[in-house]
Amino acid sequence: MSQPDVAAPPARFNFARHLIERNAARAGKAALIDDQGRLSYGELADAVARFSGALRSLGLRREERVLLFAHDSSDWVVAFLGALHAGVVPVAINTLLPAKDVAYMLGDSRAQAVIASGALLPTLQEAMALGGHEVKHLIVSRGSALPAGAQAFDALLQGASPAEAADTHADEPAFWLYSSGSTGAPKGTVHTQGNLYWTAELYGRGVLRMRESDTVFSAAKLFFAYGLGNALSFPLSVGASVVLMAERPTPQAVFKRLTEHQPTIFCGAPTGYGGMLASPELPPRKAVALRLCSSAGEALPQDIGERWTRHFGVEIIDGIGSTEMLHIFLSNVPGKVRYGTTGFPVPGYAVELRGEDGQPVPDGEIGDLYIQGPSAALLYWNNRAKSRDTFQGGWTKSGDKYLRNADGTYTYAGRNDDMLKVSGIYVSPFEVEATLVQHPAVLEAAVIGKEDNDGLTKTKAYVVLKPGQQASAADLQAFVKERLAPYKYPRFIEFLDELPKTATGKIQRFRLREREKAAG
């Protein structure tokens, strides 16, 4: 494990207080720019301390949970940091969840309060009506009509007195994130006050080299571990400005922020980059101010990275992180990008590839990815079996398969649950997908295993074509055959209008497997 020159946080450490103290000299500078206005660093510090006081005035105690079910805005940041400041535990959940999932997370977390966007109240109220857990306090952000007993976020904030930060420990449970559910039921992942510090120092500063002069815009939302780093802990740790967007990150919505607010750093996911490159409204290079882009969520296809760099003249720094490790631990590096790979271990982290026997595998062979580093979560809430399987001593089992190249870079092979064995040989679905998207007519692709008439596993591709483009299954099969080993080409191809995805843009291949099973 390479050791960067980063001091550990003190034993008594509160991340919200850390940010306030670090930015004390920037009181007048814009910290947050959202759809309704700007919040300076001085205003942010005051709001965080007031929200901390407000939570205490409501009777919330240290380590009790509050559910954060809200669109990206300055209110989200104030609520999250205010909870950390008070030693109360925010549980950030995605805004596209159906009511039954929200109800599950309410009950699983035993949240004493909910902070919700006004636009999300119908889903929340439906979830609360399902029963099983009583919410004591409902705080509504940016909503005109308040349900009975609810309080407006702004009014609560204005009426509160600023509080002193709780004397928390760096290793104290500080916040939860639920895993995205790309492989099944989500799990409440418990992180510490110190974990936010470590990812900001090791990746935000160490790899992205984020600085005070930057303006940062993340299409990945704050409830997503990747977005939480991009749009909160990283930029606020260095005094940069952040652009926040409540709406979904369609190409048009992203282009609007890139051209109007002129961010210097943009953080997105591979599906988003692909969609933007396919859009006829893609802005010219001169219309933006980008100096760097970041990608995570799924491995970035080489073709998308190369086309983006040709168009905008900037690199996409592709990496892999996880909810369990909070952010990226394996990454390309500015000035040393190897498109088609996930780059090198981030300084401060160690990675190891292990075979089915638990022993390290040699270069060029596919193995299970394990990570060791200071930002690992403590556990999965109420799930001892999964916790013990994932958090193994100092190592975290990622659930991903990789291979290490001769130059020290790592190439993604797929999720453990998604890997295929064809003719007794591992086939990476990602490798086939990355080849398919190089075809000029293909927008997206997802590959799973399908049994043929002899009961043997073969690859099946689900393909989304670009608007106005046409291609037959035979065309795509021939295209892949020319570029990959013969046994890897998709024996079956089905065209779809869209692929099933999580709210964070990850393709849900298990949904495709369920579809295949239902079809018989």
Side-chain angles (χ1 to χ4, degrees):
M1 183 190 305
S2 55
Q3 294 295 335
D5 186 21
V6 176
R12 310 305 302 185
F13 179 77
N14 183 291
F15 186 74
R17 178 175 58 198
H18 165 73
L19 290 185
I20 290 171
E21 291 174 350
R22 184 168 271 192
N23 292 299
R26 302 185 180 98
K29 182 182 177 183
L32 307 172
I33 304 163
D34 70 11
D35 298 336
Q36 294 191 7
R38 294 171 178 249
L39 205 65
S40 70
Y41 271 101
E43 292 167 332
L44 176 61
D46 179 67
V48 167
R50 285 182 182 277
F51 196 72
S52 173
L55 291 175
R56 294 178 191 178
S57 72
L58 293 175
L60 271 83
R61 298 171 296 181
R62 287 273 294 273
E63 296 189 32
E64 287 188 323
R65 271 78 65 191
V66 295
L67 201 75
L68 185 47
F69 184 47
H71 293 131
D72 283 15
S73 70
S74 59
D75 286 359
W76 199 106
V77 177
V78 169
F80 183 84
L81 291 177
L84 295 184
H85 192 271
V88 173
V89 176
V91 179
I93 67 172
N94 93 51
T95 56
L96 297 177
L97 288 173
K100 64 179 180 62
D101 288 346
V102 176
Y104 167 76
M105 292 174 185
L106 278 171
D108 187 53
S109 66
R110 300 196 300 274
Q112 300 297 297
V114 177
I115 302 134
S117 293
L120 296 173
L121 283 176
T123 302
L124 177 64
Q125 290 172 311
E126 184 183 346
M128 292 168 67
L130 292 174
H133 178 72
E134 180 183 354
V135 175
K136 294 180 180 177
H137 306 284
L138 174 56
I139 303 165
V140 180
S141 165
R142 303 188 182 186
S144 55
L146 294 180
Q151 299 183 68
F153 185 91
D154 288 345
L156 182 66
L157 201 61
Q158 291 167 8
S161 298
E164 292 294 321
D167 184 27
T168 51
H169 195 285
D171 291 336
E172 186 170 316
F175 66 100
W176 299 9
L177 299 171
Y178 274 89
S179 63
S180 62
S182 60
T183 57
K187 300 174 288 292
T189 310
V190 182
H191 278 285
T192 69
Q193 294 274 353
N195 286 357
L196 289 160
Y197 169 87
W198 281 116
T199 55
E201 295 298 313
L202 296 177
Y203 198 73
R205 284 175 179 261
V207 174
L208 297 182
R209 301 169 194 166
M210 208 172 278
R211 53 195 184 225
E212 182 181 2
S213 58
D214 280 317
T215 296
V216 183
F217 172 46
S218 175
K221 298 299 185 179
L222 286 163
F223 63 76
F224 181 24
Y226 175 53
L228 184 65
N230 300 340
L232 195 156
S233 60
F234 294 3
L236 298 187
S237 289
V238 299
S241 297
V242 182
V243 176
L244 298 169
M245 178 178 73
E247 65 185 297
R248 294 186 69 174
T250 63
Q252 292 72 26
V254 171
F255 297 156
K256 184 175 187 289
R257 274 74 182 183
L258 291 179
T259 55
E260 288 187 4
H261 295 294
Q262 294 289 294
T264 53
I265 296 179
F266 171 70
C267 307
T271 52
Y273 283 110
M276 286 187 283
L277 286 169
S279 172
E281 299 173 37
L282 185 71
R285 181 185 301 192
K286 64 182 180 182
V288 304
L290 295 172
R291 73 170 184 85
L292 190 68
C293 293
S294 170
S295 179
E298 288 200 305
L300 180 75
Q302 180 176 350
D303 178 63
I304 288 177
E306 290 174 347
R307 286 193 288 130
W308 184 271
T309 296
R310 282 198 300 271
H311 183 84
F312 285 113
V314 297
E315 297 174 320
I316 299 178
I317 308 304
D318 182 37
I320 183 175
S322 67
T323 306
E324 292 76 11
M325 294 303 294
L326 188 56
H327 213 275
I328 290 171
F329 47 79
L330 186 61
S331 178
N332 279 274
V333 179
K336 197 178 178 182
V337 169
R338 305 286 188 270
Y339 285 133
T341 80
T342 315
F344 308 87
V346 171
Y349 294 87
V351 301
E352 192 172 277
L353 301 183
R354 302 178 187 173
E356 294 179 359
D357 59 359
Q359 298 302 306
V361 301
D363 286 2
E365 286 192 19
I366 292 174
D368 294 315
L369 177 66
Y370 287 74
I371 315 103
Q372 189 177 68
S375 63
L378 295 173
L379 52 88
Y380 296 129
W381 184 256
N382 286 345
N383 201 330
R384 188 180 187 193
K386 282 285 188 181
S387 294
R388 294 178 72 175
D389 182 57
T390 298
F391 304 106
Q392 302 180 7
W395 292 91
T396 299
K397 179 182 177 182
S398 74
D400 296 290
K401 286 192 181 291
Y402 264 84
L403 59 86
R404 186 179 185 273
N405 303 306
D407 64 356
T409 61
Y410 288 74
T411 298
Y412 181 66
R415 293 287 299 174
N416 286 358
D417 294 342
D418 297 329
M419 290 298 293
L420 308 173
K421 267 198 171 180
V422 178
S423 302
I425 306 171
Y426 268 129
V427 173
S428 162
F430 177 75
E431 182 184 20
V432 183
E433 292 162 6
T435 303
L436 281 165
V437 298
Q438 294 176 37
H439 190 284
V442 175
L443 178 62
E444 295 177 319
V447 170
I448 65 169
K450 172 183 169 68
E451 288 190 355
D452 64 14
N453 294 332
D454 298 320
L456 301 174
T457 298
K458 299 290 190 269
T459 50
K460 175 172 180 175
Y462 288 88
V463 173
V464 178
L465 297 177
K466 295 176 182 176
Q469 296 290 322
Q470 291 185 341
S472 68
D475 292 337
L476 298 182
Q477 288 169 329
F479 185 83
V480 175
K481 282 182 183 178
E482 292 174 359
R483 290 160 175 79
L484 296 180
Y487 65 90
K488 296 181 180 180
Y489 87 91
R491 300 309 208 286
F492 312 95
I493 292 181
E494 184 174 339
F495 295 94
L496 298 177
D497 292 331
E498 60 181 355
L499 298 176
K501 297 174 188 170
T502 67
T504 57
K506 293 182 181 179
I507 295 170
Q508 294 177 309
R509 292 172 188 82
F510 76 93
R511 298 288 185 204
L512 296 173
R513 289 194 289 270
E514 290 172 356
R515 174 192 175 102
E516 193 64 39
K517 186 176 181 180

